[in-house]
Amino acid sequence: MINKCHHNAAVRSCTAQHLERLAEVMGMARLLSGKKDLTDRFLIAVSKLAVDPAQEVRHHSRNILRNVATNGDFAKMWDKFAPRKERESLREVISKVKERT
């Protein structure tokens, strides 16, 4: 779904925009349905993009997180699928996103 090693910020930004649009079209409930492939890959991709060095990339992924965080299943899915080594930095991001809503 996402090439986490891509060096071009424009490619990562475009990916973040597409994921944001995907989230709008499919809806958060469907994305967090617990189907391993979809939920797993989506949350991992958004998690990595949320801490990207490029501001535009972070903007789109944080919009996704803002919408996802309102879903009741988010916490459960987050603990299940988010990469362990990135959870702490992402908790800070999610708490900031929640504060702004």
Side-chain angles (χ1 to χ4, degrees):
M1 180 176 237
I2 183 172
N3 183 353
K4 65 182 178 182
C5 298
H6 206 287
H7 297 292
N8 190 327
V11 172
R12 294 189 313 268
S13 176
C14 186
T15 301
Q17 288 176 352
H18 286 295
L19 287 174
E20 185 176 14
R21 180 71 180 131
L22 176 71
E24 290 172 8
V25 171
M26 289 186 69
M28 291 304 150
R30 189 166 175 198
L31 285 171
L32 297 176
S33 65
K35 294 186 178 175
K36 174 95 171 111
D37 290 338
L38 177 63
T39 304
D40 182 21
R41 290 181 183 202
F42 181 79
L43 286 178
I44 289 172
V46 171
S47 298
K48 291 183 183 299
L49 292 171
V51 292
D52 193 88
Q55 182 178 2
E56 186 175 354
V57 176
R58 289 192 314 267
H59 170 75
H60 292 292
S61 62
R62 289 176 183 188
N63 285 343
I64 296 168
L65 286 175
R66 185 176 300 115
N67 293 331
V68 168
T70 62
N71 187 297
D73 294 333
F74 174 68
K76 180 177 72 171
M77 292 299 142
W78 176 258
D79 288 336
K80 187 175 180 182
F81 293 115
R84 290 191 194 285
K85 64 182 181 178
E86 297 170 358
R87 282 187 190 166
E88 191 57 41
S89 61
L90 290 169
R91 284 189 207 285
E92 295 172 17
V93 169
I94 291 171
S95 65
K96 287 179 186 177
V97 165
K98 284 184 177 180
E99 287 175 5
R100 292 182 184 170
T101 56

